[in-house]
Amino acid sequence: MAQDGEAFQLNRGRPMTIAAVGAVVILVAAAAATTPGFISIQNFRAILAATTFVGLIAVGMTVIMISGSFVSMSLGTMATITAIFFIYALKFGIAGAILSTLLLGGVLGLVQGFLIGAWDANPIIVTIAAGALMEGVSVALTGGQALSPPDNNYAFLNTTPCGIPVGTFVLLLLVAVVEFLLRRTRLGREVYMLGESRAAARAASLSLGEVGCWVFMLAGFSAALAGIFLASFNHGASLLLNRGTLNYDAIAATLIGGTAIVGGRGSVWRTLLGVILIATITNLVLLRGYSFGAQIFFKGVIMAVFVIVIHLRSQRGR
């Protein structure tokens, strides 16, 4: 039965996979034909960099949505907070900075997961409050000033093996690991079951608190990874790194990838396609000189179209 359910989930998501791939191909072809500078190695690396930052956050967002916890409004803030911490921790060495930053991200996610999973608190309220609290603590500790690294011992994080940013390889590895956990482990099956029906999960004697903690801890870990690469790419960190778009882009990419916002259905691989689409759109409008508002508008239109298609397909399926 579990295998049949998994196959059903994959088959339901396949049309959205095809749609996402088709949209990316059409967009790239149109951009290449009409936008000067779009086809270049430098621009290709810029798109990959944007894919890395949003993609790492979107991995965590996907798992949260699949678990039925709607969305997290704090992952973008967690990425910037951990970026600031990473720059501060560099004075203790690069290995210590990376490990402590990942630990911080995991703990921040774990606390939110406990409140949502064990106490059944509203995920939107909890994550908004957590984001505001983290920003407040950060401003109090840094005075709102940007932090600069003490040395250049993080330079390897900005290298481009084979012309591809090292962060992109980390993103692909994380996607593969999380997809394996979701599809091939007991924890992954419990995450899908929790998203499908909390009542059924309780009837199956699942520990909702434990699953929720794991989900949000994983999301915090992925946000911390994004923070590390954000800080290294920008050679410093401040709250301005978020600019209010990281969370929005991660949510948009996850929905475009076909993950059900009510839970129980989704794939990290398909989310990656959504991330590529969002990064390409952002890059395209920047090259064309459109304003920040226009970027939000175009991404909103694309997201609305995909969400409507998902809704119509789910209604027809019922």
Side-chain angles (χ1 to χ4, degrees), residues 46-234:
I47 293 176
L48 287 180
T51 299
T52 298
F53 305 145
V54 177
L56 290 170
I57 297 173
V59 168
M61 193 71 75
T62 301
V63 180
I64 287 174
M65 279 194 193
I66 292 174
S67 72
S69 295
F70 197 55
V71 297
S72 170
M73 302 304 295
S74 66
L75 291 187
T77 302
M78 287 173 64
T80 58
I81 296 301
T82 52
I84 293 172
F85 179 83
F86 173 72
I87 294 297
Y88 172 81
L90 279 174
K91 61 183 179 181
F92 302 112
I94 183 62
I98 292 175
L99 291 176
S100 59
T101 301
L102 295 177
L103 177 61
L104 175 63
V107 170
L108 291 174
L110 178 63
V111 172
Q112 296 174 65
F114 177 78
L115 294 175
I116 294 169
W119 287 7
D120 204 23
N122 186 292
I124 299 297
I125 295 176
V126 169
T127 55
I128 288 177
L133 180 62
M134 286 186 284
E135 285 192 11
V137 171
S138 175
V139 171
L141 295 178
T142 65
Q145 301 298 314
L147 296 185
S148 299
D151 51 50
N152 199 33
N153 57 353
Y154 62 91
F156 73 95
L157 295 173
N158 290 326
T159 56
T160 54
C162 304
I164 299 175
V166 67
T168 303
F169 290 107
V170 173
L171 171 60
L172 292 175
L173 177 61
L174 180 65
V175 167
V177 170
V178 173
E179 187 74 5
F180 175 81
L181 291 175
L182 287 173
R183 299 293 181 184
R184 302 300 178 189
T185 68
R186 177 181 177 180
L187 175 61
R189 291 190 290 272
E190 290 177 348
V191 170
Y192 278 107
M193 181 182 292
L194 180 61
E196 283 282 1
S197 172
R198 297 182 73 86
R202 287 192 181 94
S205 300
L206 295 187
S207 173
L208 304 190
E210 182 178 341
V211 176
C213 286
W214 276 107
V215 165
F216 276 84
M217 186 168 64
L218 176 59
F221 176 83
S222 66
L225 273 176
I228 290 172
F229 284 104
L230 272 171
S232 62
F233 182 81
N234 290 280

